[in-house]
Amino acid sequence: PFHTWLPDAHTQAPTAGSVILAAIMLKLGTYGYLRFGLYLLPDAAAWAAPVLLTLGVVGIVYGAIAAAMQKDLKRLVAYSSVAHLGFIILGTFSLTTQGITGGLLVMVNHGITTGALFILVGIIYDRRHTRLISELSGMQKSAPLLAGVFMVVMMASVGLPGLNGFPGELLSLLGAFKGARWWGVVAVTGVILAAVYLLWAYQRTFHGKATGGNATMRDMRPSEFAVLAPLLFLMVFLGLFPGPMIDTMEPSVNALVAHVKLHSNDSRANQPAVKKLEALATEHSDGESDSKSSDKSDSTSNDTDSTDTKSSDTSDTKSSDSNTTSSVTTTSFAKPDTKSSQTGRPSSTTTTTASA
């Protein structure tokens, strides 16, 4: 809500500058929260989460109310960007898998829908040279293709089911209800207010009686429609099939939530998906320790067996050597003395050995 410079920057910037600012540059701040705020400072992020959730909800409600009061169509779209960025903050600092995934989806889809809205406002300004809603009325009669495209893009920005704005806001609110319930309750009013200010702006701009140059305004050229056609395709495709993008984000989001839970005392990150990852990591580490201990026990038993074999071999060798020595000694001691046998008297050595 403190980024009140944003509507002024959008109003004074050309159409291309507004598209780049809304679709790309605004996402650098929210990406910084994910990459640096949550990842490098998880405990501080968990501690500051209530304050940031409050600022996000205030941005949603304040941006929607301010947008409804605008007289300039481009400033209205600019204040709607403030409200959408509040949904990104709400989902991110709910510190849940659903909330962070929803915040990422809003980042992508806001760039598509708001960029398309600024292009459409630029097309209107090129033809009418004004952006005041009070001077624009009944344009759907003279420019039906422009009115139809504006209707589709506006509904995507509101969050109509089937278009790309719906999955991100839904997941952000689901994550908020799981991790920050009362902030989520207040944020729901932003969805209602978004429908109010966008539908009211469309009614005043394209419906009613065409006056002045509105009755003769030129419709969209094929080249202008060709610029918006890829964005329209993405709005419909990501609204009907958000699964591939969510599946791509899920491993990184689960790892981030597990990281925040591991390095902080925040209980909101305690989720089944995170518990599953932690269980797998624990089983992997236990398996490695078991394999290491079994390898050590096997090597110890092998060393013991080899030591026993060496000991038995040594003892056998010593035993055979002692037997050989004793037999040699006995034979040498038992040999009669030649001189004694000739004199008829036994040798003293033989007698001593026999008595022994």
Side-chain angles (χ1 to χ4, degrees), residues 104-118:
L104 287 171
L105 285 175
V106 174
M107 287 169 62
V108 175
N109 294 324
H110 170 264
I112 296 172
T113 55
T114 307
L117 282 174
F118 278 123

Side-chain angles (χ1 to χ4, degrees), residues 117-296:
L117 282 174
F118 278 123
I119 292 174
L120 290 169
V121 172
I123 292 173
I124 294 173
Y125 182 78
D126 286 340
R127 286 156 171 74
R128 296 290 296 113
H129 303 290
T130 182
R131 292 189 299 264
L132 294 177
I133 297 176
S134 59
E135 297 180 6
L136 303 172
S137 62
M139 290 190 299
Q140 68 171 356
K141 296 178 181 178
S142 57
L145 181 59
L146 176 63
V149 173
F150 199 100
M151 169 70 78
V152 173
V153 177
M154 178 198 64
M155 288 299 181
S157 183
V158 170
L160 183 71
L163 296 175
N164 64 334
F166 176 72
E169 291 185 3
L170 176 64
L171 287 175
S172 296
L173 290 172
L174 287 177
F177 277 116
K178 189 170 185 178
R181 178 172 300 175
W182 294 112
W183 285 277
V185 171
V186 178
V188 170
T189 60
V191 179
I192 302 172
L193 291 173
V196 170
Y197 66 75
L198 284 172
L199 289 174
W200 189 29
Y202 184 86
Q203 179 189 15
R204 290 179 291 169
T205 303
F206 290 96
H207 290 183
K209 183 179 180 181
T211 58
N214 297 321
T216 58
M217 190 181 74
R218 186 177 68 252
D219 203 354
M220 290 180 66
R221 294 190 293 267
S223 60
E224 294 170 337
F225 181 78
V227 171
L228 289 167
L231 300 178
L232 294 172
F233 171 77
L234 288 175
M235 291 176 200
V236 177
F237 179 80
L238 294 177
L240 296 176
F241 304 102
M245 183 175 291
I246 294 175
D247 293 339
T248 304
M249 298 174 181
E250 187 175 6
S252 299
V253 172
N254 286 335
L256 179 61
V257 174
H259 176 75
V260 173
K261 182 190 174 212
L262 182 64
H263 296 89
S264 69
N265 296 322
D266 193 81
S267 60
R268 286 172 293 184
N270 188 12
Q271 300 181 75
V274 177
K275 290 182 178 179
K276 185 177 179 181
L277 287 176
E278 292 176 345
L280 292 174
T282 304
E283 291 177 0
H284 181 67
S285 61
D286 292 342
E288 288 183 350
S289 60
D290 292 340
S291 62
K292 288 180 180 179
S293 61
S294 63
D295 292 340
K296 288 181 179 180

Side-chain angles (χ1 to χ4, degrees), residues 315-326:
S315 61
D316 293 341
T317 305
K318 289 181 179 179
S319 139
S320 62
D321 292 342
S322 63
N323 291 334
T324 305
T325 305
S326 63

